[in-house]
Amino acid sequence: MSQSSQVFNFSAGPAVLPASVLEIVQQDLLNLADSGMSILEMSHRSRTVDQLLHDVETDVRALAGIPENYSVLFLQGGASLQFSMLPMNLLSVDQPADYLVTGVWSQKAVHEAEKVGAVRIAGSTESEGFIRIPRQDELSCSPNAAYAHFTSNNTIYGTQWQDAPDVGTVPLVSDMSSDIFSRPLNIERYGFAYASAQKNLGPAGLTLVIIRNDLLERSSRSLPSVMNYATLVKHGSRYNTPPVFGIYVLHLVVRWLQEQGGLAGIARRNERKAAKVYAEIDRTEFYQGIATDDSRSFMNITFKLPTKSLDEVFSQEAAKVGLLGIAGHRLLEGQRASLYNAMPESGAVTLASFMRDFERRHG
Ligand SMILES: *Cc1c(COP(=O)(O)O)cnc(C)c1O
């Protein structure tokens, strides 16, 4: 158990899971709910998995306040498959989609959408190295766009939309892979939201998709069936075998989130955790935050030390005291501490005191 042995996993993804969830997985693994079988061995059409799919959807809807006119899907292929499936289903040849570009993941989404239809860039901070989120007055969204896509949290740069952009009546689409369920979600502002599980929801191999039902009408029958949202909704995520184990772990994570006070409760805790680490960055010139103040992420905190060699020593020494996975993404270097939902407050406190101590010794 990572927390009990005083190792803190700051990896950007796959990432830390709640220790109590891992304990339940361990207890259940050989014999789930007196079935005599492991979840890993069970038919996706068994009664146990029927019940699981029913319960997980009910609990996801309750946690995030997802009303009946939205469908919830449990898919495979990661967020990256959604970069393609989304335009294949929702984009038409004569109506462009707007994309707000705030980092590599947004760029990849654009790259895949361009293979399918017309894309307009309605905002970008690329010229500034993606260290901030564009302001509303910098966006040039079209009222006729097929949809408007943005990346709510930019895992690599440590930037996060503090509020979703206003795109009028155009269906708003968000890649929420690295901050889903980290704060209250007003899903009614969105037409479509998706997230791969391995940052904030569970193991890799599962993607959560939330789609407003009127948009299902856009899915053409000529699409491959496993990529057709209307088909997948019609079959309740079981057109083919869904990632059953990932869905089971996601369900435990969702129940754990309810115990933390739901999305409002976890948001308060996430703010406290992030504040502890940002306070160290703001206290001294020794640590330089990468994201601008108004765009700071509560999930991934990026910063640099005065020199590249000190950056290397920092992540090496951090690992020696059990603070793992802090070295920054290869594109930005520096440090990146990911404080996803499952990172306990003691992890943020330990990192902050390590930062103070490291500055004392090397500053
Ligand atoms: C990690 C990540 C992805 C990629 O997810 P895959 O499951 O590897 O496809 C996409 N978008 C964002 C914002 C991410 O953080």
Side-chain angles (χ1 to χ4, degrees):
M1 235 26 43
S2 52
Q3 281 79 14
S4 57
S5 60
Q6 287 312 311
V7 163
F8 293 104
N9 176 8
F10 291 95
S11 168
V16 59
L17 284 165
S20 62
V21 164
L22 294 176
E23 273 160 17
I24 297 171
V25 172
Q26 187 185 41
Q27 279 159 24
D28 283 355
L29 194 64
L30 297 184
N31 180 4
L32 179 68
D34 285 328
S35 63
M37 275 195 268
S38 171
I39 183 74
L40 294 168
E41 306 170 301
M42 261 176 218
S43 163
H44 60 296
R45 314 240 177 238
S46 63
R47 274 183 46 201
T48 311
V49 176
D50 279 345
Q51 189 69 43
L52 167 66
L53 276 167
H54 172 269
D55 292 350
V56 70
E57 180 173 336
T58 305
D59 290 346
V60 165
R61 284 182 184 277
L63 177 75
I66 301 169
E68 281 307 311
N69 61 323
Y70 286 77
S71 296
V72 177
L73 290 170
F74 303 95
L75 307 180
Q76 307 192 31
S80 299
L81 182 60
Q82 297 310 309
F83 296 165
S84 298
M85 273 174 72
L86 170 73
M88 286 167 80
N89 282 265
L90 299 194
L91 198 53
S92 61
V93 260
D94 45 2
Q95 192 187 17
D98 281 346
Y99 276 71
L100 308 178
V101 180
T102 52
V104 162
W105 294 119
S106 316
Q107 286 177 318
K108 289 190 170 165
V110 167
H111 183 69
E112 298 306 318
E114 280 173 337
K115 297 178 187 175
V116 178
V119 168
R120 279 182 68 244
I121 306 301
S124 171
T125 49
E126 183 178 6
S127 64
E128 292 158 71
F130 294 128
I131 58 165
R132 68 178 184 91
I133 298 294
R135 294 183 313 271
Q136 182 70 34
D137 64 19
E138 296 176 287
L139 308 181
S140 61
C141 294
S142 158
N144 302 315
Y147 58 83
H149 179 284
F150 77 108
T151 313
S152 55
N153 183 75
N154 299 279
T155 327
I156 296 173
Y157 313 88
T159 64
Q160 186 174 26
W161 291 77
Q162 311 296 305
D163 195 16
D166 181 1
V167 298
T169 56
V170 169
L172 182 63
V173 172
S174 183
D175 173 1
M176 302 186 178
S177 291
S178 55
D179 69 351
I180 190 160
F181 298 167
S182 67
R183 55 184 174 177
L185 174 65
N186 182 2
I187 196 68
E188 279 160 296
R189 285 188 65 183
Y190 298 82
F192 187 95
Y194 63 100
S196 43
Q198 68 271 19
K199 293 10 184 311
N200 240 349
L201 298 177
L206 168 66
T207 314
L208 183 68
V209 165
I210 303 167
I211 181 167
R212 207 175 62 213
N213 290 337
D214 59 287
L215 297 174
L216 295 170
E217 284 159 26
R218 295 196 199 175
S219 298
S220 155
R221 265 191 261 155
S222 64
L223 290 171
S225 302
V226 288
M227 296 181 152
N228 183 315
Y229 295 131
T231 304
L232 293 162
V233 165
K234 192 169 137 226
H235 290 86
S237 301
R238 283 187 289 187
Y239 173 77
N240 68 327
T241 316
V244 175
F245 181 71
I247 296 168
Y248 155 80
V249 178
L250 165 70
H251 188 216
L252 297 176
V253 170
V254 166
R255 291 202 324 216
W256 175 83
L257 282 167
Q258 296 284 30
E259 288 162 18
Q260 311 308 305
L263 300 188
I266 202 74
R268 282 192 296 274
R269 206 176 82 174
N270 287 334
E271 281 178 35
R272 286 199 299 271
K273 287 176 344 195
K276 293 206 167 83
V277 179
Y278 282 124
E280 290 309 308
I281 294 172
D282 292 339
R283 185 185 51 76
T284 163
E285 297 286 295
F286 187 68
Y287 297 111
Q288 293 284 322
I290 292 176
T292 60
D293 291 0
D294 58 354
S295 302
R296 283 175 164 182
S297 168
F298 287 165
M299 295 280 101
N300 314 98
I301 300 186
T302 52
F303 57 95
K304 283 190 171 170
L305 282 83
T307 65
K308 216 178 139 156
S309 61
L310 270 176
D311 261 323
E312 272 167 29
V313 179
F314 183 89
S315 44
Q316 282 162 8
E317 284 194 12
K320 272 190 209 138
V321 297
L323 306 175
L324 305 181
I326 290 191
H329 189 276
R330 59 190 164 3
L331 284 176
L332 274 186
E333 301 180 333
Q335 314 298 323
R336 171 175 55 177
S338 297
L339 304 176
Y340 295 124
N341 286 343
M343 173 60 65
E345 279 189 271
S346 54
V349 171
T350 308
L351 173 59
S353 65
F354 174 78
M355 289 170 77
R356 268 194 303 279
D357 183 55
F358 188 88
E359 184 189 5
R360 225 173 10 245
R361 288 182 288 111
H362 296 276

